[in-house]
Amino acid sequence: MADTSKKLTFWGTFMNGLVTENPTFTLMLGMCPTLGVTTAAMNGVSMGLATTFVLVFSNLFISLLRNIIPDKVRIPSYIVIIASFVTMIDLMMQAYLPDLRAVLGTYIQLIVVNCIIFARAESFAAKNPPALSVADGLGMGLGFTISITLLSMVRELFGSGSVFGYTVMPASYQPMAIMNMVPGGFITLGLMMIVINAIKKMAAGRGRREEGLA
Amino acid sequence: MQQMQKKLIIASSPHIRDSVTTRRIMQEVCLALAPAGIAGIVYFGVDALKLILISVCTCVLTEYLYQRLMNQKVTAGDWSAVVTGLLIAYNVPASAPWWIPVVGGVFAILLVKQLFGGIGSNFANPALTARAVLFISWGSIMGSYPVTRYMEDAVSSATPLALLQQDPSQVSVWTLLIGNHGGVLGETCAIALILGGVYLIIRGIADWRIPVSFICTAFVCFLLQGGFDLALKEVLAGGLLLGAFFMATDYVTTPTSVPGRFIMGAGCGLLLFLIRAFANYPEGCSFAILFMNVMTPMIDRFTMPKYFGEVKKHG
């Protein structure tokens, strides 16, 4: 959670979800779709955007209803709200993007039990006003989208020799099939977290040095 | 004061040190692996030698570069990377392209060994993990076995394992012993592997309990499945001997207690039998050992020896 002593701003909440508390690389939430659908970059983008849509609207409505929902039945209430938006996006995809829906399959319906959405509902939307909750949903959702898109680009590059469906590897490249399986997802995720933690550490080190100089 | 310091030495354990070093042990393992490698070169020609050299160089170089870049103490000269390199090469068919051992070597040393903390900290055998990754990723390359240079029937390149489960009389024990049959580079010649394995056990480098319980369990299982003939040939064929002597005996990834080592060996033998006899893969040696590698902490916990004088706790 962001520091409660400071006043939350729309931009600050948005950036918190996008970078500081990135759901995939920092909170390690939503690992099921992260490992399940990230075999192609297009899957990553669409899964991320579908989740963002649900996250923004469920955050908004839970925040609006936060003083009405009784504490004891809040989890079932959240599920009803979340499931409504998942059903909407599922039916919309079936109508307008049937091919993509066929690839993502049951993972779209599984957004209902995605722990990022639950975590944000419980720890943010239930305590904060609607505008901030929308910012949190947008930040978290786009943070998730960017993370799993990066992950799926790396996996698609090595597992199929292409990025967003365009072949980039030379014709003699033999795809590494393990990257299309769950172990490949775990390995890629672990390696990417090494890189991201190293970058964070370097940035923190630089920040400290600058403070020391000033 | 000076004299006092000389008389009273305070140090934490271990107090008794031996002159045996990691380097020495790894050199002995390389020596024990040599006969199987020579047999591989004899049967599969220059291709085999090329793959062995590429694999060893990749492993040592990866270890050296990683440790230099991470500002760690460079231990690339302790020969453990050479052993990993040899084992990866022995698990690759001689017809494989040059980049197969390169990918395998980098994966084994970088991901399985160094990222988990270097020598002594890997959670599974690096060479076997690399083999599993290569096998799953490029099944057609890793599963096509070239014929040896001395095979009369140069058309068939099926491994003895594939033939054995259909009809054991298709393969002779003599062929399996001298290794004149299709297979990965270092697994074909049973005599060379037994020679190296017995050397390791006599020199006290490998614990006899794991290979013996491994081979005996597999033997008994196949005996029950198809009789003595099948059992003998199954033990001699495929990667069982290579795995039992050189890979299931890795210090880091095997239990430390005596009963634990018997459990480790028996578990490998049983899993190998189940995979060979009933699963889709013809060979299950690497998966059996890897599975028992990750079971090792649990086996150690259950077979932990009692302290002297320890009594059962009451309620």
Side-chain angles (χ1 to χ4, degrees):
Chain A
M1 274 306 296
D3 194 352
T4 41
S5 62
K6 269 190 240 165
K7 201 171 173 339
L8 293 172
T9 60
F10 190 90
W11 182 246
T13 312
F14 176 75
M15 287 312 282
N16 175 56
L18 199 65
V19 183
T20 324
E21 285 187 27
N22 185 291
T24 306
F25 293 121
T26 309
L27 301 181
M28 294 280 289
L29 289 175
M31 285 295 118
C32 174
T34 303
L35 296 167
V37 301
T38 56
T39 49
M42 204 53 220
N43 295 356
V45 177
S46 38
M47 184 69 206
L49 291 178
T51 310
T52 308
F53 170 82
V54 177
L55 195 50
V56 169
F57 282 97
S58 68
N59 260 10
L60 173 66
F61 277 82
I62 288 166
S63 178
L64 284 171
L65 300 171
R66 69 186 188 281
N67 297 325
I68 303 165
I69 296 171
D71 209 34
K72 277 184 182 166
V73 290
R74 67 186 192 284
I75 298 289
S77 318
Y78 298 162
I79 293 177
V80 171
I81 294 168
I82 296 165
S84 318
F85 291 106
V86 172
T87 311
M88 279 163 64
I89 191 98
D90 189 24
L91 291 176
M92 278 196 295
M93 283 183 84
Q94 281 182 31
Y96 298 108
L97 301 162
D99 296 338
L100 200 59
R101 170 64 180 67
V103 174
L104 295 177
T106 186
Y107 282 102
I108 291 293
Q109 287 145 9
L110 281 175
I111 297 176
V112 177
V113 285
N114 188 316
C115 48
I116 301 173
I117 296 170
F118 269 104
R120 295 334 286 174
E122 178 79 6
S123 70
F124 198 94
K127 297 167 190 160
N128 288 291
L132 280 178
S133 298
V134 168
D136 182 70
L138 266 178
M140 285 284 165
L142 292 179
F144 177 70
T145 308
I146 291 169
S147 309
I148 67 169
T149 305
L150 282 174
L151 185 69
S152 51
M153 276 167 76
V154 175
R155 285 182 72 182
E156 192 186 344
L157 180 67
F158 290 105
S160 315
S162 56
V163 171
F164 283 103
Y166 296 102
T167 310
V168 287
M169 287 289 200
S172 58
Y173 178 74
Q174 306 234 22
M176 191 172 178
I178 197 167
M179 294 304 266
N180 290 336
M181 302 177 198
V182 176
F186 274 111
I187 293 167
T188 318
L189 183 66
L191 291 176
M192 287 183 74
M193 287 182 76
I194 292 178
V195 174
I196 283 167
N197 283 340
I199 293 171
K200 274 188 183 169
K201 217 174 172 179
M202 258 156 48
R206 194 159 53 224
R208 266 200 301 279
R209 270 200 303 281
E210 277 165 8
E211 273 171 37
L213 286 171
Chain B
M1 195 62 203
Q2 204 100 53
Q3 273 177 334
M4 275 290 278
Q5 273 179 345
K6 267 181 194 164
K7 275 180 190 161
L8 183 66
I9 299 164
I10 300 168
S12 67
S13 62
H15 302 292
I16 303 165
R17 289 173 190 275
D18 195 277
S19 60
V20 175
T21 57
T22 308
R23 193 187 164 93
R24 182 90 204 114
I25 289 176
M26 291 303 164
Q27 284 170 341
E28 299 252 18
V29 177
C30 289
L31 189 66
L33 277 167
I38 293 167
I41 296 167
V42 168
Y43 283 124
F44 299 109
V46 189
D47 286 345
L49 181 66
K50 200 177 73 188
L51 288 177
I52 293 173
L53 288 178
I54 293 173
S55 176
V56 170
C57 290
T58 308
C59 285
V60 176
L61 200 68
T62 309
E63 181 143 301
Y64 175 79
L65 288 177
Y66 178 84
Q67 290 176 331
R68 277 311 281 275
L69 287 173
M70 293 291 135
N71 295 321
Q72 290 175 354
K73 198 179 146 203
V74 175
T75 60
D78 70 1
W79 285 67
S80 63
V82 177
V83 172
T84 304
L86 281 178
L87 287 173
I88 293 171
Y90 286 9
N91 275 301
V92 165
S95 57
W98 62 271
W99 49 266
I100 284 275
V102 172
V103 175
V106 171
F107 193 91
I109 297 292
L110 194 66
L111 264 76
V112 185
K113 191 177 174 191
Q114 293 301 341
L115 286 186
F116 282 87
I119 186 166
S121 304
N122 44 301
F123 73 101
N125 189 317
L128 270 181
T129 320
R131 183 202 133 87
V133 167
L134 294 174
F135 190 76
I136 292 169
S137 295
W138 295 284
S140 56
I141 294 173
M142 292 294 286
S144 69
Y145 303 112
V147 293
T148 68
R149 295 197 291 183
Y150 308 102
M151 271 165 80
E152 293 156 26
D153 178 16
V155 186
S156 152
S157 66
T159 61
L161 281 177
L163 303 171
L164 277 176
Q165 283 290 327
Q166 298 161 6
D167 178 15
S169 63
Q170 283 177 292
V171 190
S172 81
V173 174
W174 177 244
T175 311
L176 292 172
L177 275 176
I178 61 163
N180 190 16
H181 56 78
V184 297
L185 206 157
E187 72 173 14
T188 58
C189 183
I191 293 177
L193 289 167
I194 294 171
L195 210 68
V198 170
Y199 175 79
L200 280 187
I201 289 169
I202 290 173
R203 296 285 295 162
I205 290 166
D207 189 345
W208 61 271
R209 294 176 184 91
I210 293 171
V212 168
S213 55
F214 188 163
I215 294 167
C216 288
T217 310
F219 186 84
V220 171
C221 288
F222 285 113
L223 194 70
L224 295 173
Q225 190 207 4
F228 181 78
D229 191 42
L230 176 79
L232 182 66
K233 287 171 181 170
E234 284 279 2
V235 166
L236 293 174
L240 196 158
L241 292 172
L242 181 65
F245 284 122
F246 295 100
M247 301 203 266
T249 54
D250 178 25
Y251 294 129
V252 187
T253 52
T254 49
T256 45
S257 64
V258 169
R261 292 191 169 178
F262 281 116
I263 295 172
M264 163 93 191
C268 287
L270 184 67
L271 284 168
L272 173 118
F273 164 72
L274 290 174
I275 298 172
R276 273 196 195 173
F278 303 113
N280 282 331
Y281 290 115
E283 173 61 307
C285 190
S286 47
F287 293 117
I289 299 174
L290 281 174
F291 189 81
M292 293 312 284
N293 277 168
V294 295
M295 291 289 285
T296 293
M298 267 166 273
I299 299 172
D300 261 340
R301 197 181 302 157
F302 283 119
T303 57
M304 201 182 289
K306 271 188 183 170
Y307 288 116
F308 181 67
E310 184 178 317
V311 281
K312 217 178 226 173
K313 277 184 195 130
H314 292 287

